[in-house]
Amino acid sequence: MLSSTNPSCFFFTALLLGFVTSGAVIRPVADTDHLSLQHEKWMAKHGIEYKDTAEKNHRFEIFKLNVEYINSVNSANRKYKLGVNRFADLSNGEFKALRSGLKLKIMRSSAGSFRFQNATATVVPSAVDWRSKGAVTPVKNQGQCGCCWAFSAVASTEGIIKLKTGKLISLSVQQLVDCDVITSENRGCSEGSIDAAFEFIATNGGLATEANYPYRASNGTCGVAGKSGSNAAAIRGYVSVPSIGEALLAKAVARQPVSVAVDAGGRDFQFYAGGVFSGECGNDLNHGVAVVGFGKGRDGTKYWIVKNSWGVSWGESGYMRLQRDVGGDDEGLCGIAMYASYPTV
Ligand SMILES: *[C@@H]1O[C@H](CO)[C@@H](O)[C@H](O)[C@H]1NC(C)=O
Ligand SMILES: *[C@@H]1O[C@H](CO)[C@@H](O)[C@H](O)[C@H]1NC(C)=O
């Protein structure tokens, strides 16, 4: 975890000191040879190969612009910093197109027993972190499959099952991708709805474990382990709350990990590497994630703890701290408080 106090500033200062103490030759940051070498290293690190030199040159041009952008944001002393992550050879347009397969189909049905709105007496603590309560599995990686909806639903289901049974079990995303295609709502790696996923889990009597039905990051045929009868976790239903607002979202998260939709299409979201994210962000809900807590930095900035499904190399080991209580129309930054849902047991 990074300190919330000016990580980019700290990083930059450390870099300058490094130059002074090592006596290294100072070269312009935008030096093409230097960037070319950085691109090669980045390719090796992420196992990326281009089909030909033309493609490589094209990708390098994009990489260069992204590195320049990332450096400019990092030197601007914001509450968050960006990193040259594995999306670094994608233009923001391409990145968005990649995400736009992740259209969330929002269903307005709900079949939950408890409605947190009724629990007016609930005292919302100043900080909650379900990770420290052992209710969050390690960060997963969706890869090239547009099934964020399934990762989001699985994360909050893993949470409630832990709270109910005391056992943290990694549950199968692939089962949702392969088997939850009966209604037209969910289309595997193409798109899907978080609520429809909960509907499936409730109807199916639970989900298989990740170990029994592992993730393959592609559409598949519903396997034997996917049929009911081999299920590790059962939920009764779910509650979904459109326009939940940040105050009620906190109440819900104080009870359990919650699935939400966000706009993840922004350039700063693409390259987020740590700190409290307060960057430019829209409210075109195109990505499903889970809120697993909230807290406050030393400088008083409040944030949500967001579990993403882009692997551990994105953000803070796969998580984002997203600025909370930004006011305005109460949609929350990146639309985080525009739609929330959670499973009930
Ligand atoms: C919760 O509140 C809703 C709306 O105010 C009401 O219809 C429902 O009966 C309440 N449920 C309980 C269990 O109090
Ligand atoms: C995955 O399967 C669904 C349901 O059969 C289908 O609608 C969708 O187009 C498929 N997506 C891909 C990327 O193959």
mmCIF file of all heavy atoms in Angstrom, residues 45-91:
data_model
loop_
_atom_site.group_PDB
_atom_site.id
_atom_site.type_symbol
_atom_site.label_atom_id
_atom_site.label_comp_id
_atom_site.label_asym_id
_atom_site.label_seq_id
_atom_site.Cartn_x
_atom_site.Cartn_y
_atom_site.Cartn_z
ATOM 1 N N LYS A 45 8.450 -8.099 -20.270
ATOM 2 C CA LYS A 45 7.791 -8.275 -18.976
ATOM 3 C C LYS A 45 6.371 -8.825 -19.139
ATOM 4 O O LYS A 45 5.921 -9.677 -18.374
ATOM 5 C CB LYS A 45 7.760 -6.935 -18.229
ATOM 6 C CG LYS A 45 7.112 -7.024 -16.859
ATOM 7 C CD LYS A 45 7.072 -5.672 -16.162
ATOM 8 C CE LYS A 45 6.225 -5.770 -14.894
ATOM 9 N NZ LYS A 45 5.950 -4.449 -14.324
ATOM 10 N N HIS A 46 5.649 -8.318 -20.147
ATOM 11 C CA HIS A 46 4.257 -8.720 -20.324
ATOM 12 C C HIS A 46 4.074 -9.814 -21.372
ATOM 13 O O HIS A 46 2.954 -10.160 -21.736
ATOM 14 C CB HIS A 46 3.394 -7.493 -20.662
ATOM 15 C CG HIS A 46 3.364 -6.477 -19.549
ATOM 16 N ND1 HIS A 46 2.565 -6.624 -18.448
ATOM 17 C CD2 HIS A 46 4.084 -5.338 -19.353
ATOM 18 C CE1 HIS A 46 2.771 -5.599 -17.618
ATOM 19 N NE2 HIS A 46 3.692 -4.823 -18.147
ATOM 20 N N GLY A 47 5.193 -10.344 -21.866
ATOM 21 C CA GLY A 47 5.129 -11.420 -22.855
ATOM 22 C C GLY A 47 4.436 -11.004 -24.137
ATOM 23 O O GLY A 47 3.693 -11.779 -24.733
ATOM 24 N N ILE A 48 4.665 -9.774 -24.558
ATOM 25 C CA ILE A 48 3.979 -9.260 -25.745
ATOM 26 C C ILE A 48 4.863 -9.384 -26.981
ATOM 27 O O ILE A 48 6.047 -9.033 -26.958
ATOM 28 C CB ILE A 48 3.515 -7.804 -25.515
ATOM 29 C CG1 ILE A 48 2.336 -7.823 -24.543
ATOM 30 C CG2 ILE A 48 3.149 -7.118 -26.827
ATOM 31 C CD1 ILE A 48 1.985 -6.519 -23.934
ATOM 32 N N GLU A 49 4.285 -9.937 -28.056
ATOM 33 C CA GLU A 49 4.989 -10.034 -29.333
ATOM 34 C C GLU A 49 4.087 -9.427 -30.397
ATOM 35 O O GLU A 49 2.892 -9.667 -30.393
ATOM 36 C CB GLU A 49 5.261 -11.507 -29.673
ATOM 37 C CG GLU A 49 6.422 -12.094 -28.893
ATOM 38 C CD GLU A 49 6.508 -13.609 -29.059
ATOM 39 O OE1 GLU A 49 6.088 -14.126 -30.116
ATOM 40 O OE2 GLU A 49 6.983 -14.258 -28.104
ATOM 41 N N TYR A 50 4.677 -8.642 -31.288
ATOM 42 C CA TYR A 50 3.882 -8.045 -32.366
ATOM 43 C C TYR A 50 4.093 -8.845 -33.639
ATOM 44 O O TYR A 50 5.147 -9.433 -33.844
ATOM 45 C CB TYR A 50 4.273 -6.584 -32.556
ATOM 46 C CG TYR A 50 4.024 -5.739 -31.316
ATOM 47 C CD1 TYR A 50 5.073 -5.131 -30.632
ATOM 48 C CD2 TYR A 50 2.726 -5.573 -30.827
ATOM 49 C CE1 TYR A 50 4.845 -4.363 -29.501
ATOM 50 C CE2 TYR A 50 2.487 -4.812 -29.690
ATOM 51 C CZ TYR A 50 3.544 -4.206 -29.031
ATOM 52 O OH TYR A 50 3.328 -3.466 -27.913
ATOM 53 N N LYS A 51 3.084 -8.811 -34.509
ATOM 54 C CA LYS A 51 3.140 -9.680 -35.688
ATOM 55 C C LYS A 51 4.210 -9.246 -36.691
ATOM 56 O O LYS A 51 4.790 -10.067 -37.370
ATOM 57 C CB LYS A 51 1.766 -9.828 -36.341
ATOM 58 C CG LYS A 51 1.182 -8.581 -36.972
ATOM 59 C CD LYS A 51 -0.158 -8.923 -37.660
ATOM 60 C CE LYS A 51 -0.685 -7.857 -38.588
ATOM 61 N NZ LYS A 51 -0.847 -6.517 -38.035
ATOM 62 N N ASP A 52 4.492 -7.954 -36.762
ATOM 63 C CA ASP A 52 5.573 -7.500 -37.644
ATOM 64 C C ASP A 52 6.127 -6.155 -37.177
ATOM 65 O O ASP A 52 5.638 -5.576 -36.202
ATOM 66 C CB ASP A 52 5.095 -7.431 -39.102
ATOM 67 C CG ASP A 52 3.832 -6.589 -39.254
ATOM 68 O OD1 ASP A 52 3.626 -5.650 -38.452
ATOM 69 O OD2 ASP A 52 3.048 -6.867 -40.176
ATOM 70 N N THR A 53 7.133 -5.670 -37.896
ATOM 71 C CA THR A 53 7.786 -4.413 -37.519
ATOM 72 C C THR A 53 6.831 -3.229 -37.610
ATOM 73 O O THR A 53 6.877 -2.323 -36.773
ATOM 74 C CB THR A 53 9.009 -4.154 -38.422
ATOM 75 O OG1 THR A 53 9.746 -5.381 -38.502
ATOM 76 C CG2 THR A 53 9.905 -3.077 -37.849
ATOM 77 N N ALA A 54 5.972 -3.249 -38.609
ATOM 78 C CA ALA A 54 5.021 -2.143 -38.763
ATOM 79 C C ALA A 54 4.115 -2.042 -37.536
ATOM 80 O O ALA A 54 3.890 -0.946 -37.001
ATOM 81 C CB ALA A 54 4.182 -2.351 -40.026
ATOM 82 N N GLU A 55 3.637 -3.186 -37.086
ATOM 83 C CA GLU A 55 2.777 -3.222 -35.903
ATOM 84 C C GLU A 55 3.557 -2.748 -34.672
ATOM 85 O O GLU A 55 3.058 -1.971 -33.859
ATOM 86 C CB GLU A 55 2.234 -4.651 -35.708
ATOM 87 C CG GLU A 55 1.461 -4.895 -34.412
ATOM 88 C CD GLU A 55 0.083 -4.233 -34.348
ATOM 89 O OE1 GLU A 55 -0.321 -3.608 -35.348
ATOM 90 O OE2 GLU A 55 -0.567 -4.330 -33.298
ATOM 91 N N LYS A 56 4.799 -3.200 -34.588
ATOM 92 C CA LYS A 56 5.634 -2.816 -33.449
ATOM 93 C C LYS A 56 5.860 -1.302 -33.430
ATOM 94 O O LYS A 56 5.747 -0.659 -32.383
ATOM 95 C CB LYS A 56 6.973 -3.556 -33.483
ATOM 96 C CG LYS A 56 7.800 -3.310 -32.242
ATOM 97 C CD LYS A 56 9.082 -4.101 -32.232
ATOM 98 C CE LYS A 56 9.953 -3.669 -31.059
ATOM 99 N NZ LYS A 56 11.257 -4.325 -31.084
ATOM 100 N N ASN A 57 6.149 -0.738 -34.595
ATOM 101 C CA ASN A 57 6.371 0.702 -34.681
ATOM 102 C C ASN A 57 5.111 1.480 -34.307
ATOM 103 O O ASN A 57 5.170 2.483 -33.610
ATOM 104 C CB ASN A 57 6.838 1.102 -36.085
ATOM 105 C CG ASN A 57 8.234 0.580 -36.384
ATOM 106 O OD1 ASN A 57 8.988 0.251 -35.455
ATOM 107 N ND2 ASN A 57 8.573 0.491 -37.663
ATOM 108 N N HIS A 58 3.977 0.974 -34.790
ATOM 109 C CA HIS A 58 2.701 1.609 -34.480
ATOM 110 C C HIS A 58 2.439 1.579 -32.970
ATOM 111 O O HIS A 58 2.081 2.586 -32.363
ATOM 112 C CB HIS A 58 1.586 0.882 -35.248
ATOM 113 C CG HIS A 58 0.211 1.331 -34.885
ATOM 114 N ND1 HIS A 58 -0.223 2.629 -35.057
ATOM 115 C CD2 HIS A 58 -0.835 0.654 -34.335
ATOM 116 C CE1 HIS A 58 -1.473 2.734 -34.632
ATOM 117 N NE2 HIS A 58 -1.867 1.554 -34.187
ATOM 118 N N ARG A 59 2.681 0.420 -32.378
ATOM 119 C CA ARG A 59 2.455 0.262 -30.929
ATOM 120 C C ARG A 59 3.428 1.120 -30.129
ATOM 121 O O ARG A 59 3.090 1.655 -29.081
ATOM 122 C CB ARG A 59 2.581 -1.211 -30.512
ATOM 123 C CG ARG A 59 1.434 -2.090 -30.963
ATOM 124 C CD ARG A 59 0.138 -1.710 -30.264
ATOM 125 N NE ARG A 59 -0.997 -1.875 -31.157
ATOM 126 C CZ ARG A 59 -2.189 -1.297 -30.979
ATOM 127 N NH1 ARG A 59 -2.395 -0.522 -29.942
ATOM 128 N NH2 ARG A 59 -3.168 -1.479 -31.839
ATOM 129 N N PHE A 60 4.668 1.234 -30.660
ATOM 130 C CA PHE A 60 5.678 2.045 -29.972
ATOM 131 C C PHE A 60 5.256 3.517 -29.920
ATOM 132 O O PHE A 60 5.441 4.188 -28.904
ATOM 133 C CB PHE A 60 7.050 1.903 -30.632
ATOM 134 C CG PHE A 60 8.094 2.804 -30.026
ATOM 135 C CD1 PHE A 60 8.441 2.678 -28.690
ATOM 136 C CD2 PHE A 60 8.707 3.796 -30.786
ATOM 137 C CE1 PHE A 60 9.383 3.523 -28.109
ATOM 138 C CE2 PHE A 60 9.655 4.646 -30.216
ATOM 139 C CZ PHE A 60 9.991 4.510 -28.869
ATOM 140 N N GLU A 61 4.684 3.997 -31.029
ATOM 141 C CA GLU A 61 4.230 5.401 -31.060
ATOM 142 C C GLU A 61 3.187 5.650 -29.968
ATOM 143 O O GLU A 61 3.209 6.660 -29.275
ATOM 144 C CB GLU A 61 3.658 5.768 -32.440
ATOM 145 C CG GLU A 61 4.716 5.914 -33.526
ATOM 146 C CD GLU A 61 5.845 6.876 -33.137
ATOM 147 O OE1 GLU A 61 5.545 7.989 -32.654
ATOM 148 O OE2 GLU A 61 7.031 6.503 -33.283
ATOM 149 N N ILE A 62 2.252 4.702 -29.830
ATOM 150 C CA ILE A 62 1.208 4.830 -28.803
ATOM 151 C C ILE A 62 1.835 4.742 -27.407
ATOM 152 O O ILE A 62 1.527 5.540 -26.518
ATOM 153 C CB ILE A 62 0.124 3.736 -28.982
ATOM 154 C CG1 ILE A 62 -0.586 3.918 -30.327
ATOM 155 C CG2 ILE A 62 -0.874 3.743 -27.833
ATOM 156 C CD1 ILE A 62 -1.493 2.775 -30.719
ATOM 157 N N PHE A 63 2.742 3.775 -27.251
ATOM 158 C CA PHE A 63 3.444 3.579 -25.983
ATOM 159 C C PHE A 63 4.131 4.874 -25.544
ATOM 160 O O PHE A 63 4.021 5.308 -24.399
ATOM 161 C CB PHE A 63 4.466 2.457 -26.163
ATOM 162 C CG PHE A 63 5.268 2.120 -24.931
ATOM 163 C CD1 PHE A 63 4.771 1.250 -23.971
ATOM 164 C CD2 PHE A 63 6.542 2.659 -24.734
ATOM 165 C CE1 PHE A 63 5.514 0.926 -22.839
ATOM 166 C CE2 PHE A 63 7.292 2.346 -23.605
ATOM 167 C CZ PHE A 63 6.772 1.473 -22.659
ATOM 168 N N LYS A 64 4.818 5.501 -26.525
ATOM 169 C CA LYS A 64 5.556 6.737 -26.261
ATOM 170 C C LYS A 64 4.624 7.843 -25.739
ATOM 171 O O LYS A 64 4.916 8.489 -24.732
ATOM 172 C CB LYS A 64 6.216 7.192 -27.577
ATOM 173 C CG LYS A 64 7.486 7.950 -27.404
ATOM 174 C CD LYS A 64 8.305 7.962 -28.694
ATOM 175 C CE LYS A 64 7.684 8.837 -29.765
ATOM 176 N NZ LYS A 64 8.521 8.885 -30.994
ATOM 177 N N LEU A 65 3.501 8.018 -26.433
ATOM 178 C CA LEU A 65 2.541 9.049 -26.015
ATOM 179 C C LEU A 65 1.996 8.753 -24.625
ATOM 180 O O LEU A 65 1.837 9.661 -23.799
ATOM 181 C CB LEU A 65 1.378 9.141 -27.021
ATOM 182 C CG LEU A 65 1.720 9.687 -28.403
ATOM 183 C CD1 LEU A 65 0.525 9.573 -29.326
ATOM 184 C CD2 LEU A 65 2.190 11.138 -28.303
ATOM 185 N N ASN A 66 1.738 7.467 -24.367
ATOM 186 C CA ASN A 66 1.219 7.091 -23.048
ATOM 187 C C ASN A 66 2.242 7.351 -21.951
ATOM 188 O O ASN A 66 1.900 7.876 -20.893
ATOM 189 C CB ASN A 66 0.798 5.618 -23.037
ATOM 190 C CG ASN A 66 -0.548 5.400 -23.713
ATOM 191 O OD1 ASN A 66 -1.370 6.315 -23.778
ATOM 192 N ND2 ASN A 66 -0.775 4.195 -24.211
ATOM 193 N N VAL A 67 3.523 7.000 -22.214
ATOM 194 C CA VAL A 67 4.572 7.222 -21.208
ATOM 195 C C VAL A 67 4.703 8.718 -20.923
ATOM 196 O O VAL A 67 4.805 9.140 -19.764
ATOM 197 C CB VAL A 67 5.916 6.613 -21.650
ATOM 198 C CG1 VAL A 67 7.051 7.045 -20.721
ATOM 199 C CG2 VAL A 67 5.826 5.089 -21.683
ATOM 200 N N GLU A 68 4.647 9.527 -21.977
ATOM 201 C CA GLU A 68 4.733 10.979 -21.788
ATOM 202 C C GLU A 68 3.558 11.481 -20.950
ATOM 203 O O GLU A 68 3.726 12.294 -20.042
ATOM 204 C CB GLU A 68 4.767 11.699 -23.147
ATOM 205 C CG GLU A 68 6.136 11.614 -23.793
ATOM 206 C CD GLU A 68 6.114 11.959 -25.291
ATOM 207 O OE1 GLU A 68 5.047 12.388 -25.799
ATOM 208 O OE2 GLU A 68 7.165 11.775 -25.934
ATOM 209 N N TYR A 69 2.377 10.960 -21.250
ATOM 210 C CA TYR A 69 1.182 11.361 -20.493
ATOM 211 C C TYR A 69 1.313 10.948 -19.023
ATOM 212 O O TYR A 69 1.055 11.730 -18.110
ATOM 213 C CB TYR A 69 -0.071 10.743 -21.113
ATOM 214 C CG TYR A 69 -1.318 11.055 -20.310
ATOM 215 C CD1 TYR A 69 -1.895 12.318 -20.371
ATOM 216 C CD2 TYR A 69 -1.889 10.105 -19.461
ATOM 217 C CE1 TYR A 69 -3.011 12.634 -19.608
ATOM 218 C CE2 TYR A 69 -3.005 10.413 -18.695
ATOM 219 C CZ TYR A 69 -3.555 11.677 -18.779
ATOM 220 O OH TYR A 69 -4.653 11.976 -18.015
ATOM 221 N N ILE A 70 1.731 9.705 -18.810
ATOM 222 C CA ILE A 70 1.878 9.174 -17.446
ATOM 223 C C ILE A 70 2.886 10.015 -16.662
ATOM 224 O O ILE A 70 2.636 10.414 -15.520
ATOM 225 C CB ILE A 70 2.292 7.680 -17.509
ATOM 226 C CG1 ILE A 70 1.112 6.838 -17.998
ATOM 227 C CG2 ILE A 70 2.798 7.175 -16.154
ATOM 228 C CD1 ILE A 70 1.482 5.440 -18.484
ATOM 229 N N ASN A 71 4.008 10.349 -17.299
ATOM 230 C CA ASN A 71 5.020 11.192 -16.632
ATOM 231 C C ASN A 71 4.467 12.567 -16.294
ATOM 232 O O ASN A 71 4.748 13.116 -15.224
ATOM 233 C CB ASN A 71 6.262 11.327 -17.507
ATOM 234 C CG ASN A 71 7.066 10.033 -17.565
ATOM 235 O OD1 ASN A 71 6.924 9.172 -16.695
ATOM 236 N ND2 ASN A 71 7.883 9.886 -18.593
ATOM 237 N N SER A 72 3.652 13.122 -17.215
ATOM 238 C CA SER A 72 3.129 14.467 -16.965
ATOM 239 C C SER A 72 2.152 14.457 -15.791
ATOM 240 O O SER A 72 2.174 15.353 -14.949
ATOM 241 C CB SER A 72 2.483 15.057 -18.222
ATOM 242 O OG SER A 72 1.228 14.452 -18.453
ATOM 243 N N VAL A 73 1.319 13.429 -15.705
ATOM 244 C CA VAL A 73 0.378 13.335 -14.577
ATOM 245 C C VAL A 73 1.154 13.119 -13.280
ATOM 246 O O VAL A 73 0.872 13.760 -12.259
ATOM 247 C CB VAL A 73 -0.656 12.200 -14.789
ATOM 248 C CG1 VAL A 73 -1.450 11.931 -13.508
ATOM 249 C CG2 VAL A 73 -1.596 12.550 -15.933
ATOM 250 N N ASN A 74 2.161 12.260 -13.323
ATOM 251 C CA ASN A 74 2.917 11.950 -12.103
ATOM 252 C C ASN A 74 3.726 13.135 -11.577
ATOM 253 O O ASN A 74 4.017 13.201 -10.385
ATOM 254 C CB ASN A 74 3.826 10.741 -12.327
ATOM 255 C CG ASN A 74 3.039 9.451 -12.381
ATOM 256 O OD1 ASN A 74 1.853 9.428 -12.037
ATOM 257 N ND2 ASN A 74 3.672 8.380 -12.819
ATOM 258 N N SER A 75 4.067 14.060 -12.461
ATOM 259 C CA SER A 75 4.830 15.216 -11.981
ATOM 260 C C SER A 75 3.890 16.341 -11.539
ATOM 261 O O SER A 75 4.343 17.388 -11.091
ATOM 262 C CB SER A 75 5.807 15.697 -13.051
ATOM 263 O OG SER A 75 5.110 15.993 -14.231
ATOM 264 N N ALA A 76 2.583 16.115 -11.657
ATOM 265 C CA ALA A 76 1.613 17.172 -11.323
ATOM 266 C C ALA A 76 1.153 17.135 -9.870
ATOM 267 O O ALA A 76 0.224 17.832 -9.494
ATOM 268 C CB ALA A 76 0.403 17.094 -12.258
ATOM 269 N N ASN A 77 1.784 16.295 -9.053
ATOM 270 C CA ASN A 77 1.510 16.307 -7.618
ATOM 271 C C ASN A 77 0.046 16.050 -7.269
ATOM 272 O O ASN A 77 -0.561 16.781 -6.500
ATOM 273 C CB ASN A 77 1.979 17.648 -7.035
ATOM 274 C CG ASN A 77 2.116 17.590 -5.528
ATOM 275 O OD1 ASN A 77 2.268 16.501 -4.968
ATOM 276 N ND2 ASN A 77 2.043 18.718 -4.864
ATOM 277 N N ARG A 78 -0.527 15.006 -7.863
ATOM 278 C CA ARG A 78 -1.914 14.643 -7.535
ATOM 279 C C ARG A 78 -1.922 13.625 -6.407
ATOM 280 O O ARG A 78 -0.881 13.150 -5.983
ATOM 281 C CB ARG A 78 -2.604 14.064 -8.770
ATOM 282 C CG ARG A 78 -2.650 15.057 -9.902
ATOM 283 C CD ARG A 78 -3.624 14.634 -10.975
ATOM 284 N NE ARG A 78 -3.471 15.537 -12.124
ATOM 285 C CZ ARG A 78 -3.948 15.289 -13.338
ATOM 286 N NH1 ARG A 78 -4.606 14.165 -13.563
ATOM 287 N NH2 ARG A 78 -3.777 16.139 -14.317
ATOM 288 N N LYS A 79 -3.125 13.268 -5.963
ATOM 289 C CA LYS A 79 -3.264 12.304 -4.862
ATOM 290 C C LYS A 79 -3.016 10.865 -5.319
ATOM 291 O O LYS A 79 -2.988 9.954 -4.511
ATOM 292 C CB LYS A 79 -4.674 12.376 -4.276
ATOM 293 C CG LYS A 79 -4.981 13.638 -3.492
ATOM 294 C CD LYS A 79 -6.382 13.515 -2.898
ATOM 295 C CE LYS A 79 -7.025 14.845 -2.589
ATOM 296 N NZ LYS A 79 -6.310 15.647 -1.592
ATOM 297 N N TYR A 80 -2.902 10.685 -6.634
ATOM 298 C CA TYR A 80 -2.706 9.335 -7.170
ATOM 299 C C TYR A 80 -1.584 9.382 -8.198
ATOM 300 O O TYR A 80 -1.212 10.448 -8.675
ATOM 301 C CB TYR A 80 -3.991 8.823 -7.822
ATOM 302 C CG TYR A 80 -4.452 9.643 -8.993
ATOM 303 C CD1 TYR A 80 -4.160 9.254 -10.308
ATOM 304 C CD2 TYR A 80 -5.154 10.826 -8.803
ATOM 305 C CE1 TYR A 80 -4.573 10.022 -11.385
ATOM 306 C CE2 TYR A 80 -5.559 11.590 -9.875
ATOM 307 C CZ TYR A 80 -5.271 11.183 -11.166
ATOM 308 O OH TYR A 80 -5.659 11.954 -12.228
ATOM 309 N N LYS A 81 -1.075 8.206 -8.524
ATOM 310 C CA LYS A 81 -0.094 8.191 -9.606
ATOM 311 C C LYS A 81 -0.452 7.130 -10.648
ATOM 312 O O LYS A 81 -1.232 6.216 -10.376
ATOM 313 C CB LYS A 81 1.318 8.021 -9.084
ATOM 314 C CG LYS A 81 1.639 6.669 -8.500
ATOM 315 C CD LYS A 81 3.072 6.695 -7.961
ATOM 316 C CE LYS A 81 3.518 5.316 -7.507
ATOM 317 N NZ LYS A 81 3.870 4.432 -8.651
ATOM 318 N N LEU A 82 0.123 7.316 -11.816
ATOM 319 C CA LEU A 82 -0.137 6.398 -12.925
ATOM 320 C C LEU A 82 1.110 5.561 -13.174
ATOM 321 O O LEU A 82 2.208 5.934 -12.773
ATOM 322 C CB LEU A 82 -0.509 7.177 -14.188
ATOM 323 C CG LEU A 82 -1.686 8.159 -14.063
ATOM 324 C CD1 LEU A 82 -1.991 8.784 -15.418
ATOM 325 C CD2 LEU A 82 -2.928 7.467 -13.524
ATOM 326 N N GLY A 83 0.943 4.429 -13.826
ATOM 327 C CA GLY A 83 2.077 3.565 -14.116
ATOM 328 C C GLY A 83 2.011 3.016 -15.536
ATOM 329 O O GLY A 83 0.940 2.926 -16.135
ATOM 330 N N VAL A 84 3.170 2.639 -16.047
ATOM 331 C CA VAL A 84 3.261 2.065 -17.392
ATOM 332 C C VAL A 84 2.879 0.586 -17.257
ATOM 333 O O VAL A 84 3.729 -0.285 -17.168
ATOM 334 C CB VAL A 84 4.679 2.253 -17.962
ATOM 335 C CG1 VAL A 84 4.757 1.727 -19.396
ATOM 336 C CG2 VAL A 84 5.072 3.723 -17.921
ATOM 337 N N ASN A 85 1.579 0.332 -17.193
ATOM 338 C CA ASN A 85 1.099 -1.042 -16.965
ATOM 339 C C ASN A 85 0.883 -1.780 -18.289
ATOM 340 O O ASN A 85 1.273 -1.292 -19.356
ATOM 341 C CB ASN A 85 -0.153 -1.023 -16.086
ATOM 342 C CG ASN A 85 -1.325 -0.294 -16.736
ATOM 343 O OD1 ASN A 85 -1.350 -0.104 -17.955
ATOM 344 N ND2 ASN A 85 -2.288 0.111 -15.937
ATOM 345 N N ARG A 86 0.231 -2.924 -18.237
ATOM 346 C CA ARG A 86 0.138 -3.732 -19.457
ATOM 347 C C ARG A 86 -0.828 -3.159 -20.494
ATOM 348 O O ARG A 86 -0.934 -3.675 -21.606
ATOM 349 C CB ARG A 86 -0.218 -5.179 -19.112
ATOM 350 C CG ARG A 86 -1.638 -5.400 -18.672
ATOM 351 C CD ARG A 86 -1.850 -6.823 -18.199
ATOM 352 N NE ARG A 86 -3.158 -6.947 -17.583
ATOM 353 C CZ ARG A 86 -4.256 -7.254 -18.249
ATOM 354 N NH1 ARG A 86 -4.199 -7.471 -19.538
ATOM 355 N NH2 ARG A 86 -5.413 -7.335 -17.623
ATOM 356 N N PHE A 87 -1.541 -2.061 -20.152
ATOM 357 C CA PHE A 87 -2.389 -1.398 -21.145
ATOM 358 C C PHE A 87 -1.627 -0.281 -21.858
ATOM 359 O O PHE A 87 -2.216 0.536 -22.564
ATOM 360 C CB PHE A 87 -3.642 -0.813 -20.474
ATOM 361 C CG PHE A 87 -4.464 -1.816 -19.685
ATOM 362 C CD1 PHE A 87 -4.843 -1.558 -18.383
ATOM 363 C CD2 PHE A 87 -4.873 -3.006 -20.277
ATOM 364 C CE1 PHE A 87 -5.609 -2.475 -17.658
ATOM 365 C CE2 PHE A 87 -5.636 -3.930 -19.558
ATOM 366 C CZ PHE A 87 -6.002 -3.663 -18.245
ATOM 367 N N ALA A 88 -0.306 -0.214 -21.661
ATOM 368 C CA ALA A 88 0.480 0.946 -22.108
ATOM 369 C C ALA A 88 0.655 1.054 -23.623
ATOM 370 O O ALA A 88 1.050 2.099 -24.113
ATOM 371 C CB ALA A 88 1.847 0.957 -21.428
ATOM 372 N N ASP A 89 0.363 0.005 -24.386
ATOM 373 C CA ASP A 89 0.466 0.157 -25.849
ATOM 374 C C ASP A 89 -0.907 0.293 -26.493
ATOM 375 O O ASP A 89 -1.058 0.144 -27.700
ATOM 376 C CB ASP A 89 1.275 -0.990 -26.478
ATOM 377 C CG ASP A 89 0.535 -2.320 -26.445
ATOM 378 O OD1 ASP A 89 -0.469 -2.439 -25.700
ATOM 379 O OD2 ASP A 89 0.955 -3.244 -27.172
ATOM 380 N N LEU A 90 -1.917 0.586 -25.657
ATOM 381 C CA LEU A 90 -3.271 0.800 -26.175
ATOM 382 C C LEU A 90 -3.619 2.279 -26.060
ATOM 383 O O LEU A 90 -3.400 2.886 -25.013
ATOM 384 C CB LEU A 90 -4.299 0.006 -25.357
ATOM 385 C CG LEU A 90 -4.225 -1.513 -25.352
ATOM 386 C CD1 LEU A 90 -5.263 -2.072 -24.378
ATOM 387 C CD2 LEU A 90 -4.479 -2.063 -26.760
ATOM 388 N N SER A 91 -4.171 2.834 -27.130
ATOM 389 C CA SER A 91 -4.690 4.195 -27.027
ATOM 390 C C SER A 91 -5.917 4.120 -26.131
ATOM 391 O O SER A 91 -6.496 3.044 -25.947
ATOM 392 C CB SER A 91 -5.084 4.712 -28.406
ATOM 393 O OG SER A 91 -6.233 4.029 -28.866
#
